């Protein structure tokens, strides 16, 4: 893998899409540190994102700043006009 931050970031985002099925995570590469930012709906998804990023980061430190956001059931039926 090349050391260009944009290439590393794109490589990790591709891995997140194919392995963790996540498209909404922001990946920033600063030196040898990969920062993951965004929101997911479960702790399991957060771990999956981190695992996929670590596999693609090739030894770089991964700083997982992804937050789990609770998504509740709707209060009732949604009415469409």
């Amino acid at each position: 893998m090349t050391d260009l931050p944009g290439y590393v970031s794109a490589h990790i985002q591709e891995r997140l899409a194919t392995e963790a099925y996540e498209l909404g995570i922001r990946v920033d590469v600063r030196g040898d540190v990969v920062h993951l930012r965004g929101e997911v709906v479960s702790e399991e998804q957060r771990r999956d994102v981190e695992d996929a990023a670590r596999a693609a980061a090739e030894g770089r430190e991964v700083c997982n700043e992804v937050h789990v956001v609770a998504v509740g059931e709707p209060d009732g039926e949604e009415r469409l006009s």
Side-chain angles (χ1 to χ4, degrees), residues 15-16 19-22 42-54 64:
R15 195 80 169 250
L16 293 178
E19 291 185 12
Y21 308 109
E22 186 57 59
S42 70
E43 186 61 39
E44 179 182 11
Q45 184 68 14
R46 184 178 187 274
R47 283 190 304 270
D48 290 347
V49 163
E50 183 173 343
D51 291 345
R54 284 191 190 285
N64 188 352

Side-chain angles (χ1 to χ4, degrees), residues 2 6 11-12 17 23 31 48 50 53 61 65-66:
T2 184
H11 181 68
I12 292 170
L23 300 174
D48 290 347
E50 183 173 343
E61 179 183 347
E65 300 171 13
V66 174

Side-chain angles (χ1 to χ4, degrees), residues 58-70:
E58 295 187 354
R60 290 174 178 83
E61 179 183 347
V62 175
C63 183
N64 188 352
E65 300 171 13
V66 174
H67 297 281
V68 176
V69 178

Side-chain angles (χ1 to χ4, degrees), residues 1-2 4 7 9 12 16 18-19 21 25 28-29 36 40 45 47-48 52-55 57 63 67 69 75 78 81:
M1 176 186 289
T2 184
L4 296 173
Y7 180 85
S9 177
I12 292 170
L16 293 178
T18 59
E19 291 185 12
Y21 308 109
I25 301 300
D28 294 316
V29 179
L36 306 173
V40 294
Q45 184 68 14
R47 283 190 304 270
D48 290 347
R54 284 191 190 285
C63 183
H67 297 281
V69 178
D75 292 336
E78 180 179 355
S81 304

Side-chain angles (χ1 to χ4, degrees), residues 14 16 37 46 53 77:
E14 179 181 349
L16 293 178
R37 294 184 180 94
R46 184 178 187 274
E77 283 187 25

